[in-house]
């Protein structure tokens, strides 16, 4: 059982929904980023999504694109990102970490070496948004063989014909994208999300967490109420970009987590 599986079992036993937070590794710099990541569990975060900086992101809005550029400018690399995870694991061996990014840095590192290094560092799962199910032999299946969950995205355009293919080798949880578009582009609406979550649940027994367009504790609560959890990224990353201190960022995260947990 992975840390992700264990976390969802724990939350289910407690009658709580999951709160998942996204931050870009190395934004605005390595030390500040590590301080924020270390503080996320105490702020109520159940699962950490750690962004892997990349020069050409396709699913990210301006806020996360700029975070990636700041991280890259500061010298953040795949190896440095895994180093950050190793530092985090010195004090926390239970909070799941999902590495979210694009395939190019992984391919450049070499898939077997990456999987070995990611597992050793303490990564629990991967979200690689530019590898469709048709390419599962490339990374998904080797990742699962190495003990890493491979988490797939479902979207409003994933119809009933496509959905079984998307669910085929997914593990850990399903990430439902609440809007059509990039991160931070629009507000999530629980009324729109609820029937989609119900539809996806017919195709999988995995937990379904919903992200994109969640910026407030109220929306976090509303979305978590119709799913198994809520994900917030751009709203957190935006506060880092605005120069908020780690303590201020973590206070904001606490409110979002409290919203999801009260659903």
């Amino acid at each position: 059982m992975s840390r992700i599986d264990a976390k969802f079992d724990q939350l289910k036993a407690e009658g709580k929904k999951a709160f998942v937070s996204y931050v870009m590794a190395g934004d605005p710099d390595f030390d500040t980023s590590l301080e924020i990541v270390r503080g996320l569990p105490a702020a109520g975060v159940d699962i950490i999504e750690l962004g892997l900086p990349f020069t050409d992101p396709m699913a990210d809005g301006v806020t996360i694109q700029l975070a990636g550029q700041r991280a890259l400018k500061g010298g953040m690399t795949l190896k440095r990102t895994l180093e950050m995870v190793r530092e985090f694991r010195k004090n926390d061996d239970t909070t799941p970490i999902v590495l979210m990014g694009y395939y190019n840095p992984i391919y450049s590192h070499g898939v077997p070496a990456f999987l070995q290094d990611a597992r050793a560092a303490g990564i629990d799962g991967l979200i690689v948004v530019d590898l469709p199910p048709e390419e599962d032999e490339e990374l998904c299946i080797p990742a699962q063989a190495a003990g890493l969950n491979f988490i797939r995205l479902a979207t409003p355009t994933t119809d009933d014909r496509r959905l079984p293919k998307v669910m085929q080798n997914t593990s850990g949880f399903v990430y439902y994208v609440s809007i059509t578009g990039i991160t931070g582009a629009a507000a999530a609406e629980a009324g729109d999300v609820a029937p989609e979550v119900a539809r996806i649940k017919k195709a999988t027994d995995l937990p379904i967490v919903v992200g994109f367009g969640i910026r407030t504790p109220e929306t976090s609560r509303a979305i978590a109420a119709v799913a198994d959890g809520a994900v917030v990224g751009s709203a957190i990353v935006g506060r880092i970009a605005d120069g908020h201190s780690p303590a201020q960022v973590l206070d904001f995260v606490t409110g979002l987590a409290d919203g999801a947990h009260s659903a």
Side-chain angles (χ1 to χ4, degrees), residues 86-194:
R86 286 193 295 271
E87 288 297 317
F88 175 87
R89 286 287 176 226
K90 290 179 179 179
N91 300 306
D92 187 320
D93 194 42
T94 58
T95 303
I97 296 179
V98 175
L99 191 67
M100 185 171 186
Y102 298 87
Y103 186 46
N104 185 278
I106 296 170
Y107 178 81
S108 296
H109 192 85
V111 168
F114 165 75
L115 293 175
Q116 180 177 345
D117 293 346
R119 178 79 172 170
I123 295 290
D124 301 291
L126 304 174
I127 300 176
V128 183
V129 299
D130 54 347
L131 276 182
E134 287 75 14
E135 305 297 333
D136 276 356
E137 294 287 346
E138 192 80 17
L139 180 64
C140 172
I141 291 172
Q144 305 220 67
L148 297 171
N149 289 131
F150 199 89
I151 296 143
R152 193 82 71 188
L153 302 181
T155 75
T157 60
T158 307
D159 61 22
D160 289 339
R161 187 171 61 178
R162 178 66 173 168
L163 188 59
K165 185 71 172 178
V166 171
M167 296 296 105
Q168 185 172 284
N169 290 312
T170 301
S171 63
F173 61 90
V174 177
Y175 187 135
Y176 179 69
V177 177
S178 68
I179 60 172
T180 302
I182 55 176
T183 58
E189 297 289 344
D192 297 330
V193 168

Side-chain angles (χ1 to χ4, degrees), residues 22 57-65 100 102 175 177 179-186 211-213 215 233-235:
Y22 171 98
M58 66 173 66
D60 297 316
V62 172
T63 299
I64 292 179
Q65 287 182 34
M100 185 171 186
Y102 298 87
Y175 187 135
V177 177
I179 60 172
T180 302
I182 55 176
T183 58
F212 286 47
R215 300 187 182 90
S234 293

Side-chain angles (χ1 to χ4, degrees), residues 32-87:
T32 304
S33 182
L34 178 58
E35 182 179 351
I36 292 169
V37 172
R38 280 176 166 162
L40 291 173
V45 172
D46 298 301
I47 298 172
I48 297 169
E49 279 184 18
L50 191 61
L52 176 61
F54 180 53
T55 52
D56 299 285
M58 66 173 66
D60 297 316
V62 172
T63 299
I64 292 179
Q65 287 182 34
L66 292 175
Q69 289 176 17
R70 289 191 297 271
L72 290 168
K73 186 176 181 180
M76 206 63 182
T77 61
L78 173 56
K79 289 182 179 180
R80 290 277 281 162
T81 300
L82 296 181
E83 180 184 338
M84 178 177 289
V85 176
R86 286 193 295 271
E87 288 297 317

